[in-house]
Amino acid sequence: MEKIRAARSGSVSRYDGVDYGGGRSRKDAFLIVAAFFIIVCFAHPLALSGEGLSLAEAVEQGWKANSSLRVQENELKKAELDGAIADSFSYPELSLFSSYSHIDPRPGVRKEILPGMAPLELNMGRNDMFSHGAQLRYILYEGGRRSHLQEASKQMKEASRWLLLDRRRTVQFDVRRAYLTILLLKEMEHLATDNLDRHRRRSADADRAFKAGTIARLELLRAQAEEEDARIAVDEAADRKRTGLRQFAILLNVKDLPDPIGDLQRASEQAMHFDVALLRAEEPEFARLMAVSFQRRASEEAAEAKKAESLPTVVTGVKAAQVNPYLGDKRYGTEYSAFLQLSYPIFDSGRSEAVYERAKIDAQNAALQADELERTLKAQYDLLIERIESGRRTILSRKVGVERAKLALEAAQVAHKNGSIDLSRLLDAEVLLLKSEVEFLRSTAEFYENLADWERWSGRSSGQFEIFNKSKP
């Protein structure tokens, strides 16, 4: 759904040139109400429903809201129009013309008939001359310039298509990355809240133990300080999530703060079983590289077109006109003519050669940029797959770390209850579990961000993001 940005300037009661009097029919009144409803709905950022936002919905909204994507779509339209312009030179050109000229003195001859007598003046025309007609003109030969321009426009049109595709993939990646960030921030807030609950219980236990005289004041103060730190961590996590949601809303151009659904915990289980060999088996489709390759060919064709400007041009055509005077009389008459014109540039102070050399440099630069981009993309692509594989292994390791931290905390709780360890050791075990859970979730989000980056560059689907279109069970 295409959104229209509109500025709000207070209530509007009338529009210039439109009568809202009682003479309106029911149909007109309905159209007015419908138009007002459409303006109100589309003049503001989209309001999302409160059911939660899936990743697929977020990407779709991101495509609609992204202005650079609209710009690239317009660039494609311009390339298509350039192609139509280049093709038009292959067809005859029909034009109408009208001209007026005044000659003084008017055309004539002076001839001496007898010596000593004034010469005889014969007027052959008139001072005022008019001409109106039509001309059909066709370029027979121009050194191949038309064909080169047509080929260049075709290559640029294909380049624009690939650039549009690359832009869509980039917007999709940006939305996915922001979406994963929000999920991670939500998980961080949940962990911070759970951590605060644990520290509140520990602080209460420490207070009772101190009153009973079983622990020193130092342990009580540490428990209270840890509780305060946990409370601050909850506030900071909530602020970071709120800021992230606002930035995400700006990215999607929505009025309400979105509520992404999805579960990083469940996604981590999927990531641990992902076969990275599937990514290596896919042949990447670098949209940006394809666009640069077509731009390179277009530059080469444009250089050849510039070279053809120094070659002869042959133009033919026919013309029919109403002229006055006609056959020397002051009246209109019809004249028909056909012409064949040959033009050949001989000297232009080196301008044509300079233009051609400049076009060749542009083509060489395009080739260098294409080669450099190809090397860079292939190297980054291989490195990205390695990061994805490393990220999968990291998730497995972090998962083991979380399980061991849970076992350590359970053992510490039993030991503290039995009095074999003090409160500080128990708090250390809780901090270890919190750190392990944070690193586990962070590595999961990073894995999917790298996977989204792989899909952007390769143009292929990993099939792993459907899990973010489902709510928690």
Side-chain angles (χ1 to χ4, degrees), residues 166-312:
D166 178 71
R167 189 60 204 161
R168 283 179 61 85
R169 292 175 182 175
T170 300
V171 172
Q172 181 186 51
F173 168 74
D174 292 338
V175 173
R176 283 177 168 180
R177 179 172 57 182
Y179 194 96
L180 291 168
T181 299
I182 298 301
L183 292 182
L184 179 61
L185 292 175
K186 290 172 67 175
E187 294 286 355
M188 294 298 103
E189 186 181 30
H190 293 158
L191 290 178
T193 301
D194 293 341
N195 184 57
L196 177 60
D197 292 339
R198 285 195 299 266
H199 279 85
R200 282 172 175 170
R201 292 194 296 268
R202 299 296 170 258
S203 180
D205 293 341
D207 185 63
R208 287 191 294 268
F210 176 73
K211 290 178 180 179
T214 57
I215 64 172
R217 181 174 177 79
L218 178 62
E219 292 190 38
L220 174 61
L221 292 176
R222 175 177 177 179
Q224 293 174 344
E226 293 283 356
E227 180 187 0
E228 186 62 27
D229 287 343
R231 183 179 293 108
I232 294 174
V234 170
D235 293 339
E236 290 177 346
D239 290 340
R240 283 193 293 267
K241 188 190 75 170
R242 192 179 304 108
T243 301
L245 286 173
R246 288 174 179 171
Q247 293 174 343
F248 193 42
I250 294 174
L251 179 64
L252 301 184
N253 191 28
V254 294
K255 180 173 62 175
D256 302 325
L257 293 182
D259 181 24
I261 62 177
D263 184 2
L264 281 179
Q265 296 280 359
R266 186 175 55 177
S268 65
E269 296 294 332
Q270 176 180 268
M272 286 186 287
H273 297 90
F274 181 68
D275 186 5
V276 182
L278 297 176
L279 305 184
R280 301 185 187 276
E282 292 286 351
E283 185 68 24
E285 181 186 78
F286 300 123
R288 189 172 302 177
L289 180 59
M290 293 295 295
V292 172
S293 298
F294 281 111
Q295 289 174 339
R296 171 183 180 176
R297 298 173 196 169
S299 298
E300 293 172 352
E301 293 293 336
E304 293 300 317
K306 293 297 183 181
K307 181 180 180 181
E309 292 181 358
S310 61
L311 299 177

Side-chain angles (χ1 to χ4, degrees), residues 372-388:
E372 178 65 22
L373 181 61
E374 183 176 9
R375 289 193 301 269
T376 303
L377 285 180
K378 289 183 177 180
Q380 291 180 349
Y381 182 76
D382 294 337
L383 181 61
L384 185 58
I385 294 180
E386 292 178 3
R387 286 207 305 264
I388 294 173

